[in-house]
Structure formats: structure tokens, C-alpha cells
Amino acid sequence: MVLTNEPPVREVTPTPPPRRRTSRLGDRGLAALFISPAMLLLLAMSVFPLLWALTLSFTNYSATSSAPAEFVGFANYAEILTSPAVRQRALTTLVYVVGAVTLQTVLGFGIAYLISRRERGRGLLTTVFLVPMMLSPVVVGLFWRFMLDAQFGVVNSLLTSVGLQPVEWLTRQETAMISLIVVDTWQWTPFIMLIALAGLTAVPRYLYEAASIDRASEWFRFRNITLPLVWPLLLIAVMFRAIEAFRLFDLVYILTNGGPGVSTETLSFHVYKVAFLGFNTGTASAYGILMVVVVIVLAQIYLRYLNKLKED
Amino acid sequence: MRSERRAGRRSLPVRQARLATTAVAAAVATATVLGACGGGGGTAEAGGATAPASVPELTDEPLTLSFIWFEWPPAQALEDFANAEYTTERPNVTVEVNTVPNANWHDAMFTQFAARQTDFDIAILDSQHIGEAVTNGNIVELTEFIEGNIETDAFDPYLLAAYGQYPQAETGKRDESASMYGLPLLGDTWTMIYRKDLIGDEPPQTWDEMIAVAEQCQADNPGVSGLAFHQANGSDAAAVTYNTVNGLYGGNLWDAASRQIDGVLNDEAGHRAMDVLVNEMKPLTAAGSGNWFIDEVNAAVAQGKACIAFNWIAASGGLLDPEQSTLGATREEILDTLGFATLPTQETDLVPLGGMGMHVSAYAAAEHQAEALNFMKWFLQEDTQKKWAAAGGVPSRTDALESPEFLEAGPFNQVYADSVSRMRDMWNVPEYARLVDIENTSVNAALNGAMDPREALDTIAVEQQQILDSSGSGGL
């Protein structure tokens, strides 16, 4: 062992280099980079067309016309809001939305309630019920059109086989709207069912157990436990369905083409005619904007109600 | 501050739902409005392109000449015929006939015209579409080209005018000084299809007689309806039906010179025609036939469910196919049962003008436009027209119409040849699409009990007049 008298050399800890400006992105920059493709897509595909349509809605622009567009102020909006034709389509749309969404809510919740009470086969049943929702509305419209055909359709065959009179499902004013509601209900009841089922399975089991101990009736448990806890979720599902139903186009186009006459012509179908038959692009843009405003206003009122419900 | 407090009060699911609502609303906006945006506010060139007096130099490079039409048997027949015959002259060319459903036909063409960019070189337009396409500069003017390349004397003047002239030709005539924008591709009109085994070999001669025969036939043959005709509210289905009856009972669709519809369409003859259609003809149709168009009428005939039917000749070929019919095991057996005749007459002998013309897209590339012109010149030659007739097409040249190739190709071809001088068209104006939609919906409503017939005709007249008076600008 060698000893030295030299003072021990203190090893100098290297000081960290001064913080330099790095070319690497910070968290915020990275976040911006990641969301920018989606933002650009949103801007290009949603925001820009919306703003462009808003601009066109104040003009008399026609997509096919060679004539330049002229600024017309609120003339398009005034024309739409005072038009008896639009009022008639609005009423048709309202009847359809109320009829379809009510029926879907009742059926959807009922099916979900029944499924939630089952211990076995719940997954399979849910999957089977979801099948209509996975189909394209155009395909649904086409095969229902065949099924509802007054002469060759399977529905009338069933009716006549049990001694009932065949029905002109798609060509009578009284039945055409009912047919639309039934077909839409067939396809979209599963959506309500799915949301309701999620709410029903989330209800804590101990609440039911406590109610059982108190010998509460089935109806009491449903009214005081199940319904209050599922209700807010159900209302959100109803809102989504109502918005979807409000802009119904495809089923009308395939099943009735708005007929007989214009008795099943919804607002969206009417916008389509204004935009693509008459190519009154400015009017159609104003029409579309007004529909959006209606949806937003109604949704806001609805959400306020939901919020109040939750606070209460 | 107030807004912060309010925001803070909002529970998370509700806020999410609100965001979702806004997103959905934006989607609604996009879906609803995007279509209405069209091509934006750019200004297009006023007027249209003009074709040269002769066919420009053609390319030797491979080229696909594209047509746009609606889905029906003649579309496939045209593609097969052109690829078999035209390619012998132009081996580097492939002909493609793209089709869309009938209800989308107008929209499919005019949305592309609106974008000033087409994926077709030749648009097959209904005669009534010409005004809209010409006014917007969507198709090439062919006046000089036709003068230099087409034997105009070989055609019935009205037939040539109906598919190409703008402003519209007066019924039965051609204005030699008017501009031409198209050439005939397929002639067509309605034929009366009747059950020889049920009503006899001789077809009824007047419209009133036809109704009486149909009524008797329906009474004698339970399960078979007296009549089958177009009633749908899509395309021009119900409108053509009413216009046909209107013409036969002496009515007029409008006064073209003064652009007057109200008071002309709904005059006494017009109301009589609507009454005949709704109260005398409709009760003789099958229940639920209120949305029938070409295919449904053919199906009713092929399945033996109608005594008398009316349909476009060009769509009637399938009726003779034993695989699609219950009326016979062979074509001959079917022909023993089915007869084809020109429409009965009444106050007049007018029949509807059908068929379509070829129109060169103003937005097609130069070499494609040149090829399109060459195709049209080739197509309207005498020998090509006769081959087209033999292939199942309906030619337009008088010599081809009178040729055995045409008259022997189908039992309804004589009907067409006999109907040429009786044809009447609808309005060929830029506002056509809206005019026909108004008529379709109201006639369909009257046929299906959703509207009183008299009220329906008056509504049509008033609404159509408003469209004409506003020159199509604005309006709902």
C-alpha cells in the first residue's frame, strides 16, 4: 500500500452545461403537432364549408348558373321563414321525429329492461338486437320497400294469410308516415336499447337488495330506483336520436320519395330538392343554416333541462 | 365571471353531451349544407363552347369515351354496340356508358356541370334538360358541326330538333335558324301494351274506349287490374302520364310564346284530363300502384296482372323474355298473348316524346370532345343507324326507321315509326327540373287521394307559373 501526503484530489463534479435552446418540441408543441392533422381536417371538411355556406346564404348564388352571385341580405332567410311550403315540411318532420323517437324510446328501454333482468344469454341477445343498427339506411330502405309493397310484399302476404285486408303502406297519406316511423324504429331502437342497457347495468345492486329487504314492490323499485338512475342517460340517447331523426333523408328518398304528393317530405328532403333540382344554392344554404340553428337551440334547451334534472 | 360560474356548475357528462351536441350540430350543418355549397362562388364563363365545323384531328393514343345515362337496358345495349362497331373504325377507343339510378340522373349530370368538371364526355340528356344545360354553358354548341357533318335531310325535322334545338322547337316543327346543341341517340314514345287473350286482337281506338275495355276486362278477370301506368312522384313519371292524357283531351301544358301556364294548363280540357286520369283510370289500377314507374309496370304485365298497360318502348324489350314472364314459355307464345299498339286517340292524337340526345360536355378534354364529335358523326350514318336498330336501339334517321332491320327487330318498333309524327314534348326551359317536380308531386298526390284533382291541377298551374315568372331564381 502506498501512502502519500498529497492532499486528496477532490474530484470535480462536471457542472451541467448551460441550458441551451433545443430544437426539440416542448409538450405544448408536441400536442399541437399531434392534433394539427385532425384540426386541419376539421377546418377543411366542416368549418370551412359551414362558413362558406353561411356566406352563400346571403346571396342568390346558383351552383349551375353562369351569372355572378349578388348579395341579397336576409331575403333567403325571410323567404324560408315565411314559406307555407317550409311550414308544411317542418310539421311533417315534427310528426316524424316525435313519433319515431317516442316509439324507439319506449321499445328500446323496454327491451333493455327485459335483457337486463336476464342472467344468461344477455350478450348474445344484445348482439342480435344490434344487427339492424349496423346496416346501411339505404339497404334498410330498399328491403323494407320490397316488404311493404302492396302487391308483392311479404307484410301484406302475412296480413291476407290471417284474413286481413292488404294495406297500401307507401302510397296512402295515412300509412306512408307510419311506414317511415316503423322502419326507422326497426333500425334505431337498438341504439336506445344499448344506452339504456348501459344505464341499467350500472344501477348498484345493493339498492335493489335494500328495497327487497323493505319488501318494496316491483313497480316501486322500477319507479324509485331504476327509472331515476337511468333517466338522464336515456334522455341523452333521446337527444341524439332526435337530432338524427330531424335530418332524416335516406329513408324518405328510398321508401316514399316524399310522397304521396309531399306528405312525407321532411325538411332535409326539401333542402335537397331546393339545392339539386332548382340549384338555388343560396336559398338552400340559408335553409341548411336555419336547420342547424334550430338543432342547436333545441339541444341547448334540452341540455339545460338535463342539467337541472341532475342538480335536483 | 358569470360565464365561469355557469360553466363550473355544469356537470361533466352534460358538458360532454353539450360538446357532443355541438359536434353533431356541426355534422348536421356539414351534411346539410355541404351539398348546397356546390362549386363555390366562382364565376363561370357565360355561354358555352362551340364545336368546329369539322371533326378535329383525332388521337391515336388509347382513349376511353365516357357517356352518362341512367340504368336501363338501352344503356348496356349502347355500350355493347359501340364497343363492337365503333372500335372497328377506331380501335384505340373504348366506349364506357356509366349509369346512375333514374331518379339521380339529372342530379348526377348537373352537379358535375356545377363543378365545371365532368367525368363524362357525352351527356345523354333528356330533351327537357337542354335548356338548363345551354343556359349555363354546360354543353357544346353543335350548329356548325351539324351543318357540315350530319345529313339533316335524312331525319324527321322535329325529331332532329327535339333532341338538339334550343330554344325549344314548336311541336312537330324545326326552326332552321335556331342553334343546335345535341343529336338524337335513342328515340322513344309510349306504347300501349294489351292482353290479346283478354280483350281481343284489336286494340281500342279511342281513349274513352280504352277505359271502357279495361273496366270490362278487370270485371271479367278477378286478380287482373284493368290498367297499369306510371304514377310515381320521382323522375317525370306521374307528370308524363298526366301530360299524355292532357294532350289527348285537347289540353296544353303552356303557351310557350307568352310563357303562360296558369289558365292554360288548368283550362277546361286540362281539368277534363285530370278528371279522366284520377276518377276513370286510377280506379282500374292495382292497389298500391301509386308509386309505380317503368319497372313496376313491366312487372305487372309480365306477371299477367294487367289488361292494358302503358310504357316507354325502349323499356319494353324485357316483356318478351320468357325468363321474366309468366305469359309464355317462348317469345312467340308471349307475342300470342301480348299486343303492342300506338296510343288510342281522343280529341287529338298526341303522344309523349321520349328518348334522349347526345350532348358534348363543355368541360371534357379537347381530344375527348373531338372523339365525341367523331362518334356522333359515325353514329348517325345510315348503315350505323340500321345496325343500331338491329341491336335493339331506336334510330332517328327516317331511312333507318323504315328499314326492315328496325321494323322486324321488335313488335313495338312499328308503333314507334307510326308515332313519330304525333309526338309532343314538355317544356324545354332552364326551369324544367322544378316544373316537373311540381307536376309530379301534385299529380301523384291526386292519384293517391292526398289532394283533390281539381285543386291539384290549379296548384300545379300556379306554382309552375311562379317558377317561370321568377325565371327560376330563388324560390322554394
Side-chain angles (χ1 to χ4, degrees):
Chain A
M1 179 180 271
V2 178
L3 297 173
T4 65
N5 292 328
E6 292 176 10
V9 178
R10 191 175 170 191
E11 207 168 292
V12 178
T13 312
T15 53
R19 204 179 168 92
R20 285 186 303 159
R21 289 177 72 87
T22 172
S23 61
R24 284 186 302 173
L25 288 167
D27 287 348
R28 290 180 67 82
L30 212 54
L33 187 69
F34 280 134
I35 65 166
S36 56
M39 287 299 292
L40 285 173
L41 204 65
L42 192 70
L43 281 170
M45 304 295 290
S46 292
V47 179
F48 172 72
L50 185 62
L51 294 177
W52 191 236
L54 187 66
T55 310
L56 293 179
S57 72
F58 296 106
T59 70
N60 64 354
Y61 175 66
S62 169
T64 50
S65 173
S66 310
E70 290 171 12
F71 181 75
V72 295
F74 284 93
N76 290 332
Y77 289 93
E79 187 181 11
I80 293 161
L81 291 172
T82 56
S83 163
V86 174
R87 272 202 297 278
Q88 187 185 358
R89 272 67 170 190
L91 187 65
T92 304
T93 307
L94 183 70
V95 169
Y96 169 77
V97 171
V98 171
V101 176
T102 304
L103 195 59
Q104 287 161 29
T105 306
V106 172
L107 286 175
F109 184 78
I111 294 168
Y113 186 69
L114 292 175
I115 290 178
S116 72
R117 290 165 64 91
R118 287 186 65 89
E119 294 297 328
R120 300 177 60 184
R122 189 190 288 187
L124 181 68
L125 269 176
T126 309
T127 309
V128 169
F129 273 110
L130 286 180
V131 169
M133 208 173 79
M134 298 172 190
L135 300 173
S136 154
V138 174
V139 174
V140 170
L142 280 172
F143 72 68
W144 271 98
R145 187 184 160 119
F146 285 119
M147 286 166 61
L148 293 172
D149 187 280
Q151 290 289 314
F152 316 108
V154 69
V155 176
N156 273 356
S157 292
L158 284 172
L159 289 179
T160 48
S161 69
V162 296
L164 296 172
Q165 287 294 315
V167 177
E168 294 182 39
W169 293 106
L170 302 174
T171 53
R172 286 283 147 192
Q173 206 170 4
E174 309 80 40
T175 49
M177 178 56 80
I178 294 172
S179 302
L180 278 178
I181 290 173
V182 167
V183 175
D184 194 65
T185 299
W186 179 84
Q187 181 167 31
W188 290 110
T189 295
F191 176 77
I192 302 272
M193 183 206 77
L194 196 66
I195 305 279
L197 194 60
L200 285 166
T201 50
V203 177
R205 194 166 279 276
Y206 66 83
L207 292 176
Y208 292 120
E209 289 165 0
S212 296
I213 291 166
D214 292 340
R215 307 181 86 179
S217 68
E218 189 77 16
W219 170 244
F220 182 90
R221 279 187 274 178
F222 176 77
R223 195 163 60 88
N224 293 289
I225 300 173
T226 309
L227 202 55
L229 289 173
V230 178
W231 190 239
L233 208 55
L234 200 59
L235 287 183
I236 290 175
V238 166
M239 185 183 71
F240 277 103
R241 275 307 306 142
I243 291 172
E244 278 284 312
F246 181 75
R247 63 187 186 91
L248 175 79
F249 172 81
D250 27 31
L251 278 185
V252 177
Y253 188 70
I254 299 291
L255 279 175
T256 64
N257 202 36
V262 292
S263 55
T264 56
E265 214 172 273
T266 56
L267 288 167
S268 294
F269 194 80
H270 194 211
V271 176
Y272 158 76
K273 281 188 168 181
V274 175
F276 294 110
L277 285 184
F279 278 100
N280 289 316
T281 316
T283 312
S285 300
Y287 207 151
I289 296 288
L290 280 174
M291 284 180 66
V292 173
V293 170
V294 168
V295 169
I296 290 175
V297 168
L298 290 179
Q300 282 304 311
I301 294 169
Y302 193 82
L303 283 172
R304 278 171 196 277
Y305 167 71
L306 263 180
N307 203 18
K308 189 169 177 293
L309 195 73
K310 191 161 179 64
E311 283 169 5
D312 290 346
Chain B
M1 291 304 286
R2 189 176 168 210
S3 63
E4 278 175 18
R5 196 165 66 244
R6 286 177 59 185
R9 255 174 44 197
R10 199 166 287 128
S11 60
L12 188 61
V14 175
R15 260 191 292 150
Q16 285 174 338
R18 188 180 180 192
L19 281 170
T21 310
T22 311
V24 171
V28 173
T30 308
T32 310
V33 176
L34 189 57
C37 284
T43 55
E45 63 279 21
T50 303
S54 56
V55 177
E57 191 177 346
L58 302 172
T59 179
D60 292 330
E61 298 296 316
L63 184 145
T64 300
L65 187 65
S66 296
F67 289 66
I68 186 165
W69 208 354
F70 65 87
E71 182 58 49
W72 70 329
Q76 189 59 49
L78 173 65
E79 186 173 284
D80 295 344
F81 172 72
N83 281 317
E85 298 293 336
Y86 186 59
T87 47
T88 58
E89 185 173 309
R90 298 279 298 147
N92 62 318
V93 175
T94 305
V95 174
E96 204 172 78
V97 180
N98 298 311
T99 57
V100 294
N102 182 288
N104 301 106
W105 180 33
H106 170 271
D107 304 352
M109 293 185 293
F110 282 85
T111 45
Q112 291 197 51
F113 283 147
R116 276 59 167 167
Q117 194 172 20
T118 58
D119 64 5
F120 52 84
D121 308 311
I122 296 181
I124 300 175
L125 298 180
D126 221 342
S127 58
Q128 304 95 313
H129 297 146
I130 296 173
E132 186 177 355
V134 170
T135 308
N136 295 323
N138 302 141
I139 53 178
V140 175
E141 187 188 334
L142 303 174
T143 312
E144 286 184 24
F145 173 78
I146 289 172
E147 282 172 9
N149 297 275
I150 306 295
E151 296 172 65
T152 51
D153 293 343
F155 296 81
D156 179 285
Y158 181 60
L159 216 48
L160 196 64
Y163 301 114
Q165 180 180 314
Y166 187 78
Q168 184 173 8
E170 192 181 333
T171 298
K173 295 178 182 174
R174 181 187 167 213
D175 180 357
E176 297 287 343
S177 60
S179 299
M180 297 289 289
Y181 296 87
L183 284 163
L185 170 71
L186 181 88
D188 205 358
T189 189
W190 270 19
T191 176
M192 179 168 69
I193 306 155
Y194 62 100
R195 288 282 298 274
K196 290 193 275 192
D197 57 330
L198 300 182
I199 68 170
D201 286 340
E202 287 304 312
Q205 296 301 306
T206 68
W207 202 259
D208 284 347
E209 184 191 346
M210 181 276 295
I211 293 170
V213 167
E215 194 173 7
Q216 188 61 49
C217 179
Q218 179 170 285
D220 294 344
N221 300 279
V224 181
S225 58
L227 294 173
F229 53 83
H230 305 166
Q231 302 177 47
N233 60 348
S235 188
D236 57 4
V240 168
T241 300
Y242 172 71
N243 290 349
T244 302
V245 183
N246 172 287
L248 286 167
Y249 279 84
N252 285 295
L253 304 185
W254 67 326
D255 178 39
S258 61
R259 286 171 68 90
Q260 189 65 32
I261 292 179
D262 193 10
V264 177
L265 176 72
N266 52 341
D267 63 5
E268 196 181 334
H271 280 298
R272 168 78 181 123
M274 186 61 100
D275 181 62
V276 167
L277 177 62
V278 176
N279 296 321
E280 297 182 30
M281 293 172 64
K282 174 65 181 176
L284 301 177
T285 60
S289 61
N291 56 0
W292 282 13
F293 195 25
I294 295 171
D295 292 343
E296 291 82 0
V297 169
N298 274 345
V301 174
Q303 295 182 21
K305 297 282 187 185
C307 298
I308 296 175
F310 298 94
N311 215 339
W312 295 110
I313 286 176
S316 298
L319 293 175
L320 304 179
D321 182 358
E323 289 186 5
Q324 297 179 40
S325 180
T326 60
L327 299 177
T330 63
R331 180 184 163 99
E332 288 67 33
E333 277 184 29
I334 295 171
L335 282 172
D336 286 341
T337 309
L338 284 185
F340 297 87
T342 52
L343 299 197
T345 60
Q346 190 65 33
E347 304 296 330
T348 74
D349 66 351
L350 293 172
V351 298
L353 177 124
M356 301 91 196
M358 297 176 281
H359 306 265
V360 182
S361 166
Y363 315 108
E367 65 269 25
H368 285 247
Q369 286 186 346
E371 196 66 55
L373 293 173
N374 191 58
F375 178 88
M376 288 156 80
K377 181 180 177 181
W378 166 82
F379 187 78
L380 292 171
Q381 290 170 354
E382 184 183 353
D383 59 333
T384 312
Q385 286 276 287
K386 286 180 178 171
K387 286 178 186 170
W388 173 228
V394 181
S396 302
R397 284 179 67 114
T398 307
D399 44 18
L401 284 172
E402 292 170 349
S403 69
E405 286 92 334
F406 175 65
L407 295 175
E408 291 167 11
F412 25 70
N413 286 355
Q414 186 65 54
V415 175
Y416 180 76
D418 293 343
S419 299
V420 168
S421 61
R422 297 171 54 183
M423 290 178 178
R424 180 177 82 164
D425 202 0
M426 294 155 88
W427 343 262
N428 169 354
V429 291
E431 301 87 1
Y432 163 75
R434 295 178 69 189
L435 297 181
V436 81
D437 179 57
I438 288 167
E439 187 162 340
N440 252 339
T441 49
S442 291
V443 173
N444 175 264
L447 285 167
N448 290 295
M451 207 180 228
D452 173 72
R454 194 167 188 89
E455 181 196 348
L457 191 63
D458 288 337
T459 303
I460 294 168
V462 169
E463 291 185 0
Q464 286 185 336
Q465 189 66 57
Q466 285 171 353
I467 298 294
L468 278 192
D469 290 348
S470 67
S471 298
S473 64
L476 291 159

